[in-house]
């Protein structure tokens, strides 16, 4: 039985932060590096390239070179493969498919000259690769990566039966020529509230969840605005969100949430999320009704008691209504029940 393992993958990234960490700003790019080895494009005479940015037309083949650097003192053997990129649903981080998954873009079109390479300690290996864009390739962005995978399975921590495989990938941003369509939607907006039992005793919190989806064919750098309005159009909340992916890849969707501290304990309104990116802007809303639990119980009890009193009062004002029921029965042919029934008398006669 094969031992299960987890793949730890480091990418060439525009953020000098752990992969998947969200942030609105990006310092200068750097090569993908996990401390033991790095993967980066071959530098040109003009400047170092932090990633592969390639433009090609359908049917065209592009050639380039990747450099794998071993930063340890012992030789390391890597498996080289190309992979498609995607956004993780949890936080929108940049990730790539594993070698066994089905590839549709860069992962299927890019072919390294070697599928395995051994790099001496403190040395480098230079490997050419080609990207053959099919004739029927869809126009737009096709992100991916050239990955160097250490196939050794490292043991997990104490008490953990899960092994770990490590990999480093250099990002590939491939754009296929043709019409481009930036498109972005906001879906499934929900407001979940948490309020104290007694108004004024405790904080009221809410969580606004939503799905951000790239429905176009180009990579977007989205921005999201959050607005909440209460009764009579009062502005309760207005801010730009920071916990969003810096890049939303074509066809990808991410499920995100935003905390709302100090949410109203008694109000009725609407939350609106507006997502914008290059040449696209879309909004979606969800209503909310905030009532403290104790107030809701008291209100429900008061309404119930009011209905009971109203029914009793109406019956007291109309005591003849029961006789009306008997009249209706007579009209339908039923015999009334006599109020004072008389007993039959029998007379005896003698001869």
């Amino acid at each position: 039985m094969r031992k299960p393992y987890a793949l730890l993958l480091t990418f060439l990234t525009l953020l000098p932060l752990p992969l998947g960490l969200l942030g609105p700003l990006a310092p200068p790019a750097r090569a993908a590096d996990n401390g033991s080895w790095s993967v980066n494009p071959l530098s040109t005479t003009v400047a170092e390239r932090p990633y592969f940015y390639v433009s090609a037309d359908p049917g065209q083949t592009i050639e380039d070179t990747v450099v794998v650097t071993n930063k340890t003192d012992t030789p390391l053997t890597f498996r080289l493969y190309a992979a498609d990129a995607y956004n993780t649903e949890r936080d929108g981080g940049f990730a790539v498919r594993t070698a066994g998954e089905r590839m549709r873009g860069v992962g299927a079109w890019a072919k390294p000259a070697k599928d395995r390479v051994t790099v001496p300690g403190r040395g480098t290996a230079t490997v050419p690769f080609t990207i053959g864009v099919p004739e029927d390739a869809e126009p737009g962005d096709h992100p991916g990566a050239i990955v160097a995978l250490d196939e050794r399975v490292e043991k997990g921590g104490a008490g953990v039966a899960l092994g770990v495989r490590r990999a480093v990938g250099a990002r590939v941003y491939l754009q296929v020529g043709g019409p481009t369509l930036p498109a972005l939607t906001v879906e499934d907006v929900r407001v979940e509230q948490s309020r104290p039992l007694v108004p004024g005793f405790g904080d009221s919190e809410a969580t606004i969840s939503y799905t951000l989806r790239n429905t176009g064919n180009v990579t977007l750098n989205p921005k999201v605005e959050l607005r909440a309005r209460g009764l009579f159009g009062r502005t309760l909340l207005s801010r730009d969100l920071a916990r969003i992916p810096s890049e939303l890849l074509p066809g990808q969707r991410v499920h995100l949430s935003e905390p709302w501290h100090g949410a109203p304990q008694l109000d009725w309104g609407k939350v609106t999320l507006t997502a914008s990116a290059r040449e696209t802007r879309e909004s979606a809303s969800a209503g909310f009704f905030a009532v403290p639990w104790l107030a809701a119980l008291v209100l429900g009890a008061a309404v119930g008691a009011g209905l009971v009193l109203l029914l009793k009062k109406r019956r007291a004002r109309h005591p003849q209504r029961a006789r009306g029921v008997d009249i209706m029965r007579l009209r339908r042919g039923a015999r009334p029940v006599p109020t004072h029934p008389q007993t039959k008398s029998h007379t005896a006669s003698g001869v």
Side-chain angles (χ1 to χ4, degrees):
M1 182 177 179
R2 296 180 62 185
K3 184 177 179 180
Y5 66 89
L7 178 64
L8 296 183
L9 186 58
T10 303
F11 297 99
L12 179 90
T13 177
L14 295 179
L15 294 173
L17 300 170
L19 182 68
L21 189 62
L22 305 179
L25 300 177
R30 61 185 178 87
D33 188 343
N34 67 356
S36 297
W37 68 94
S38 64
V39 181
N40 58 282
L42 180 66
S43 299
T44 66
T45 56
V46 178
E48 292 187 357
R49 294 184 296 166
Y51 51 83
F52 296 100
Y53 187 84
V54 182
S55 296
D57 293 324
Q60 186 177 358
T61 297
I62 303 297
E63 297 180 354
D64 213 320
T65 304
V66 65
V67 178
V68 182
T69 302
N70 182 357
K71 298 190 173 185
T72 69
D73 296 325
T74 58
L76 295 176
T77 299
F78 304 103
R79 177 181 178 183
L80 295 180
Y81 69 94
D84 293 342
Y86 67 96
N87 290 105
T88 60
E89 288 193 1
R90 181 177 59 86
D91 58 8
F94 188 100
V96 299
R97 308 292 177 187
T98 59
E101 294 184 75
R102 183 180 178 182
M103 307 294 179
R104 301 175 181 273
V106 169
W109 305 339
K111 305 295 182 184
K114 300 178 181 179
D115 59 4
R116 279 178 175 77
V117 60
T118 299
V119 185
R122 304 297 173 182
T124 62
T126 301
V127 182
F129 69 92
T130 59
I131 302 177
V133 182
E135 292 282 355
D136 59 351
E138 296 183 358
D141 293 341
H142 298 267
I146 303 297
V147 180
L149 168 68
D150 185 352
E151 294 186 290
R152 297 174 301 174
V153 179
E154 300 178 3
K155 294 182 179 180
V160 179
L162 186 68
V164 175
R165 281 183 174 177
R166 295 193 298 160
V168 176
R171 295 188 186 191
V172 177
Y173 291 99
L174 170 64
Q175 186 175 70
V176 177
T180 58
L181 175 64
L184 185 66
T185 62
V186 182
E187 305 170 351
D188 304 325
V189 180
R190 299 182 181 181
V191 182
E192 298 180 356
Q193 304 174 70
S194 175
R195 299 179 297 275
L197 182 63
V198 180
F201 291 85
D203 296 328
S204 179
E205 304 287 337
T207 300
I208 302 166
S209 59
Y210 62 100
T211 298
L212 196 61
R213 183 182 177 189
N214 185 344
T215 56
N217 64 354
V218 293
T219 299
L220 299 176
N221 306 113
K223 296 180 180 180
V224 180
E225 304 171 1
L226 171 61
R227 304 289 184 268
R229 297 187 181 276
L231 282 172
F232 312 113
R234 295 164 21 254
T235 300
L236 304 175
L237 183 65
S238 177
R239 65 170 177 247
D240 296 334
L241 304 187
R243 298 173 57 84
I244 55 176
S246 58
E247 292 180 309
L248 188 59
L249 307 181
Q252 297 297 304
R253 68 179 70 194
V254 294
H255 303 295
L256 304 170
S257 62
E258 183 71 15
W260 183 2
H261 303 296
Q265 299 186 17
L266 179 61
D267 213 326
W268 185 13
K270 181 173 68 174
V271 168
T272 301
L273 287 160
T274 301
S276 61
R278 181 183 61 179
E279 300 177 10
T280 180
R281 183 181 179 90
E282 293 291 336
S283 298
S285 302
F288 68 91
F289 183 51
V291 178
W293 294 114
L294 183 59
L297 292 174
V298 172
L299 181 61
V303 171
L307 290 175
V308 171
L309 292 175
L310 180 61
L311 290 175
K312 287 185 178 181
K313 191 173 182 180
R314 291 183 65 182
R315 288 179 180 179
R317 288 181 177 179
H318 303 282
Q320 302 297 325
R321 183 164 295 181
R323 294 187 60 186
V325 175
D326 288 339
I327 294 174
M328 294 299 296
R329 292 180 62 194
L330 283 174
R331 290 177 179 176
R332 295 173 184 172
R335 296 183 61 186
V337 179
T339 308
H340 302 290
Q342 298 179 355
T343 58
K344 271 189 178 183
S345 59
H346 300 277
T347 304
S349 58
V351 178

